[in-house]
Amino acid sequence: MNRINSKEIIKKISTFLILAFVFLFFTIATDNFFAVKNMINILRQVSILGILTAGMTFVIISGGMDLSVGSQLGLTGVLCAMLISEFGVNDIVSVILAVLVATAFGVITGLLIVSLNVSAIVITLGMQTVIRGFAYIFSGGIPIYDIPEELVFIGQGYIGPIPVPVIIMLVIVVIMGFVLHKTYFGRYVYAIGGNVEAARLAGVQVNKILVALYALSGFLAGIAGIILMGRVSSGAPTSGTGTEMEVITAVIIGGVSINGGKGTMVGAFFGALIIGILSNGLTIMNVGQYYQDVITGLVLILAVAFDTLISREKVKKVKA
């Protein structure tokens, strides 16, 4: 019988342990953290991050990376707001067109990665700048207002006691979790992340799936962009700046391997909750945004370091 690797066990439950720790810490350290209203507020704040995390989980498990999701938030909001306020396009049509544009950018990103055979980080970093540039060009560098109440409701409304963005996030996470863990498409994603050449030799259409993954990431970023536009009641070209790092941090904290091939949608969702709780709790404690950025960055480094140590341990065992 093989001995159970204690480090592997720790890694599998580490996300839950971190979530429990930060929750308990802020409950003890603050007076009004553990309140129903604040719990709902945390879920509302983390809704956009959770949607983006669902798409990023697929991408990172496949061994890739998408640094353009933050820029997609800004461009989607700007396009939708501009179509409605300046061109008089129907609300629903404007939303569909804006999300399709975000999806198209995802397709372009995927095609560039597979056709040029260049690191996803390089391509998506370039696309991040391109997309953000388009957002500034289309908006003239200023927010576009006059957002219809129906779209404001998507970002700010409630159905009963539950915020609409939270409902949308949960539906997306459940669907994406099913696709990742219960379909052949999800199995192919794991196979590509585990060993891309072996997957290709096994008949997996690697390039098509990779393009589809970046299209999916763009599509979900488009949906998140519409929600963010409704939340702030404007299409702002600066929306989503820096969000990509929060998304990546959430996914890695959630146990998805930065090297690809491993991870779960539930773990990634817990990672998003951890980021949301950290932000909310530190804000309640009057910790400044710059210090919060430092803490989030350190958390990402520690998560990557832990993942790397586990991977090295596995390699040593295989060689032995």
Side-chain angles (χ1 to χ4, degrees):
M1 181 183 293
N2 294 330
R3 291 186 305 170
I4 298 176
N5 190 329
S6 60
K7 289 185 178 179
E8 279 293 330
I9 295 176
I10 293 174
K11 183 177 180 182
K12 289 180 179 179
I13 65 174
S14 61
T15 304
F16 177 77
L17 292 176
I18 295 171
L19 179 61
F21 173 78
V22 295
F23 189 88
L24 183 62
F25 173 79
F26 288 120
T27 299
I28 296 172
T30 63
D31 295 329
N32 51 2
F33 174 80
F34 189 55
V36 174
K37 184 177 180 181
N38 191 52
M39 294 297 102
I40 293 176
N41 186 45
I42 290 173
L43 288 174
R44 185 178 62 83
Q45 291 175 339
V46 84
S47 58
I48 291 173
L49 179 62
I51 293 170
L52 294 174
T53 297
M56 188 70 76
T57 298
F58 278 85
V59 172
I60 294 183
I61 287 178
S62 74
M65 185 69 67
D66 190 354
L67 299 177
S68 68
V69 292
S71 299
Q72 293 275 29
L73 293 180
L75 180 62
T76 303
V78 165
L79 282 176
C80 186
M82 185 175 66
L83 287 170
I84 293 171
S85 64
E86 297 185 17
F87 296 98
V89 180
N90 176 271
D91 298 354
I92 296 177
V93 175
S94 297
V95 169
I96 293 173
L97 290 176
V99 173
L100 284 177
V101 169
T103 306
F105 271 112
V107 172
I108 293 170
T109 299
L111 289 172
L112 287 173
I113 291 171
V114 300
S115 60
L116 298 178
N117 195 26
V118 178
S119 169
I121 293 178
V122 175
I123 297 297
T124 58
L125 183 60
M127 290 302 292
Q128 176 192 70
T129 305
V130 169
I131 294 169
R132 184 70 69 184
F134 276 125
Y136 276 101
I137 290 171
F138 293 148
S139 66
I142 58 175
I144 301 174
Y145 297 98
D146 299 324
I147 306 301
E149 287 299 320
E150 293 80 5
L151 296 184
V152 172
F153 178 78
I154 293 176
Q156 301 179 16
Y158 287 76
I159 296 179
I162 310 300
V164 173
V166 174
I167 296 173
I168 296 173
M169 173 190 68
L170 292 177
V171 170
I172 288 175
V173 169
V174 170
I175 293 174
M176 291 299 101
F178 177 83
V179 173
L180 181 62
H181 301 295
K182 300 296 182 180
T183 68
Y184 282 108
F185 183 81
R187 294 174 192 172
Y188 294 155
V189 173
Y190 280 106
I192 293 171
N195 189 322
V196 63
E197 290 304 322
R200 187 174 281 112
L201 290 173
V204 177
Q205 295 181 315
V206 173
N207 289 351
K208 288 184 178 180
I209 291 177
L210 289 177
V211 173
L213 292 181
Y214 286 95
L216 176 64
S217 181
F219 172 75
L220 293 179
I223 293 177
I226 297 299
I227 295 174
L228 181 57
M229 179 193 68
R231 178 184 295 180
V232 300
S233 299
S234 68
T238 57
S239 292
T241 302
T243 303
E244 58 279 340
M245 295 312 300
E246 290 186 350
V247 178
I248 294 169
T249 302
V251 173
I252 302 304
I253 292 175
V256 178
S257 175
I258 192 68
N259 298 309
K262 292 185 177 179
T264 66
M265 188 61 65
V266 172
F269 176 66
F270 279 176
L273 285 179
I274 291 171
I275 297 299
I277 291 173
L278 275 174
S279 176
N280 179 272
L282 292 172
T283 300
I284 291 176
M285 295 177 68
N286 293 318
V287 177
Q289 183 60 52
Y290 298 144
Y291 290 99
Q292 291 187 34
D293 291 341
V294 171
I295 293 171
T296 302
L298 289 174
V299 169
L300 173 59
I301 292 171
L302 290 173
V304 171
F306 184 67
D307 178 65
T308 302
L309 289 174
I310 295 295
S311 298
R312 287 179 180 176
E313 188 74 19
K314 282 187 174 182
V315 171
K316 287 180 181 179
K317 287 195 171 186
V318 171
K319 289 183 178 180

